[in-house]
Amino acid sequence: MKKVLKKIGKIFGITLGCILGFVALCCIVTLGWGAVQISRGNVTEVLPQTPEDFTPAVRFIVFTDTHNENENVADAIDTAYKLFDNDEVYEGVDAFFGLGDFSSIGNEEDYKAFTDTLKEHVREDTVCINVNGNHEFKHENYKEIFEKYFPHDLNTVTEINGFTFIGFSGERSLTEWTFTPKSLKWLSDEIHKAEETAENKPVFVFQHPHPFGTVYGSTIWCTPQLNPVFAGHNKVINFSGHSHFPLNDPRSINQTTYTSVGVGAMARFELDKNYIVGQHPEGYEDAAQFCVVEADNDGSVRVRGYDLLSDTFFCDYYIENINEQESFPYTYKNMKANDEVPVFADDSEASARLDENGDYRISFTHANMPDGFIVHEYKISISDENGKEIYKDNKISDYYIIDDIDTQGLTVSKDTLQSGKAYTLTVTAESAYHLYSEPIELTFTVD
């Protein structure tokens, strides 16, 4: 018996050591990649603005992670047509691209509901391409079901107005998050072929997971298998999902030797706090974002984010020339250089009131940021009348909710505060690129 226990202990020790070693390796790789990202590219005084005479030669819509929220899919399609049917510069929408996870577990009922929505809302003259995500890969018969419901291959190449569009589902390898070498070779070959005929035009690639270490959310919700496939192909503009991290975080666009765009989500956001992913703050279920992408024949590309819940564009990125890697504006280095310290207005205020659950809802005036940048988190501390700290936490900013409300809120247990007493709220705002405001102190009395 002792020998058996000793053997089990040895196996457990080896297994634990391997796990810890793998985690340590991931941390080292992540830190190393981060150092590379920070050092790459040039710094410009301002980020580019879309010129008034920009005239697209193609326009398409990208959405991802709908997870059976097919009413959002229908709304996105109808809204896109409404936005551009009578556009004076370039009329209409040429294509829709879905990046996968349109289902829950990849069953046939989900495919039918999703494709029925597409048939009802996408016009016959509009291209519509969809790829599989990991949730579709959960079903053993994903290839057969896909072929039954979609009119194109799992991996497909489409030409629209002289531009090449590559949709990559891949083939499931050992897990639902990994691709087979054969499918990755197909992707690499198609990128090379597209570049040979692209002239000055970009090459658009669509798949579900992020390439590792590129856009917001890509250190966890990603695959490193794609990095060597895309590396060095400056014409490639890659669109991905999987993370559910909001598109209106400026880190959702990233340029290294190619361009990556994280498309957000159409069903449920996820964020990180203190670098820990898997955070689902207030309002995370109200997700309905998609991308509007336009390009001309000379290498200029415009990427905009649109929010269905507020019916507004919320970000606007312009790449003047996709062929000039040395002048890429959306490198991590340049975006961090253009980020600014959050600033609280002089008349900032705080208040507290009882909510319907009997807890206290504390509101304070949010910090200000320039267009295109955000407050990602607030570091919060509450002290009593004697200066004793009774509450401390980081609060994710509600930047992912597009509204006109100028206050930020958090809920504190009724056991923490006492009615009729005065408290001091200390708040420090942190930007997406980790710049910190001066802390402010706001006093409030509990009702």
Side-chain angles (χ1 to χ4, degrees), residues 372-408:
F373 291 91
I374 62 165
V375 172
H376 185 268
E377 296 180 30
Y378 290 98
K379 299 183 182 300
I380 294 168
S381 172
I382 299 176
S383 301
D384 63 16
E385 293 171 321
N386 299 316
K388 180 182 177 182
E389 185 177 76
I390 60 172
Y391 178 89
K392 185 177 182 179
D393 197 8
N394 277 21
K395 168 70 178 177
I396 296 175
S397 166
D398 60 6
Y399 70 92
Y400 49 91
I401 301 174
I402 311 298
D403 57 31
D404 296 324
I405 299 172
D406 63 356
T407 56
Q408 177 76 42

Side-chain angles (χ1 to χ4, degrees), residues 138-150:
K138 290 179 184 294
H139 200 292
E140 290 294 326
N141 298 324
Y142 70 89
K143 289 183 181 179
E144 291 81 1
I145 301 175
F146 189 97
E147 290 171 356
K148 178 177 179 180
Y149 285 92
F150 290 103

Side-chain angles (χ1 to χ4, degrees), residues 62-66 96-103 111 114 118 128-137 142 146 150 152-157 165-170 179 186 205-209 238-241:
V62 192
F63 58 84
T64 188
D65 293 276
T66 57
F96 292 93
F97 291 88
L99 304 186
D101 275 11
F102 51 82
S103 66
Y111 277 79
F114 179 66
L118 297 179
C128 186
I129 302 294
N130 289 272
V131 299
N132 270 353
N134 59 291
H135 278 253
E136 285 73 57
F137 280 165
Y142 70 89
F146 189 97
F150 290 103
H152 56 80
D153 294 334
L154 269 167
N155 301 310
T156 186
V157 180
F165 298 80
I166 302 173
F168 179 67
S169 292
F179 302 118
W186 177 90
V205 182
F206 310 85
Q207 88 287 326
H208 183 64
N238 175 244
F239 297 89
S240 58

Side-chain angles (χ1 to χ4, degrees), residues 57-271:
V58 69
R59 177 187 290 126
F60 57 94
I61 308 300
V62 192
F63 58 84
T64 188
D65 293 276
T66 57
H67 290 283
N68 295 315
E69 298 284 351
N70 292 315
E71 65 277 9
N72 283 353
V73 177
D75 191 11
I77 295 167
D78 294 345
T79 297
Y81 285 130
K82 182 179 178 180
L83 285 170
F84 300 113
D85 269 349
N86 298 305
D87 189 83
E88 295 180 358
V89 177
Y90 183 86
E91 186 177 301
V93 175
D94 295 303
F96 292 93
F97 291 88
L99 304 186
D101 275 11
F102 51 82
S103 66
S104 55
I105 55 173
N107 57 38
E108 190 166 346
E109 291 80 5
D110 290 351
Y111 277 79
K112 184 178 187 307
F114 179 66
T115 54
D116 281 351
T117 301
L118 297 179
K119 290 174 184 176
E120 290 172 11
H121 293 270
V122 177
R123 298 170 186 170
E124 289 186 6
D125 60 346
T126 309
V127 173
C128 186
I129 302 294
N130 289 272
V131 299
N132 270 353
N134 59 291
H135 278 253
E136 285 73 57
F137 280 165
K138 290 179 184 294
H139 200 292
E140 290 294 326
N141 298 324
Y142 70 89
K143 289 183 181 179
E144 291 81 1
I145 301 175
F146 189 97
E147 290 171 356
K148 178 177 179 180
Y149 285 92
F150 290 103
H152 56 80
D153 294 334
L154 269 167
N155 301 310
T156 186
V157 180
T158 305
E159 300 291 330
I160 304 173
N161 298 352
F163 294 82
T164 301
F165 298 80
I166 302 173
F168 179 67
S169 292
E171 292 178 335
R172 187 178 67 188
S173 184
L174 298 176
T175 71
E176 65 187 53
W177 301 284
T178 57
F179 302 118
T180 62
K182 179 182 177 182
S183 63
L184 290 167
K185 184 180 184 305
W186 177 90
L187 176 60
S188 179
D189 289 346
E190 293 302 327
I191 289 173
H192 280 93
K193 282 192 268 185
E195 285 183 324
E196 290 175 0
T197 59
E199 297 179 346
N200 291 326
K201 301 182 186 71
V203 174
F204 298 107
V205 182
F206 310 85
Q207 88 287 326
H208 183 64
H210 304 310
F212 168 77
T214 52
V215 297
Y216 184 42
S218 66
T219 55
I220 296 294
W221 301 117
C222 66
T223 173
Q225 290 179 295
L226 293 169
N227 293 69
V229 176
F230 296 143
H233 295 285
N234 62 279
K235 289 181 181 295
V236 164
I237 301 183
N238 175 244
F239 297 89
S240 58
H242 188 43
S243 68
H244 292 238
F245 279 41
L247 171 59
N248 45 329
D249 189 298
R251 292 168 292 180
S252 289
I253 185 168
N254 178 263
Q255 293 185 295
T256 53
T257 59
Y258 60 96
T259 302
S260 302
V261 180
V263 182
M266 292 276 277
R268 301 181 298 280
F269 288 126
E270 179 174 314
L271 297 94

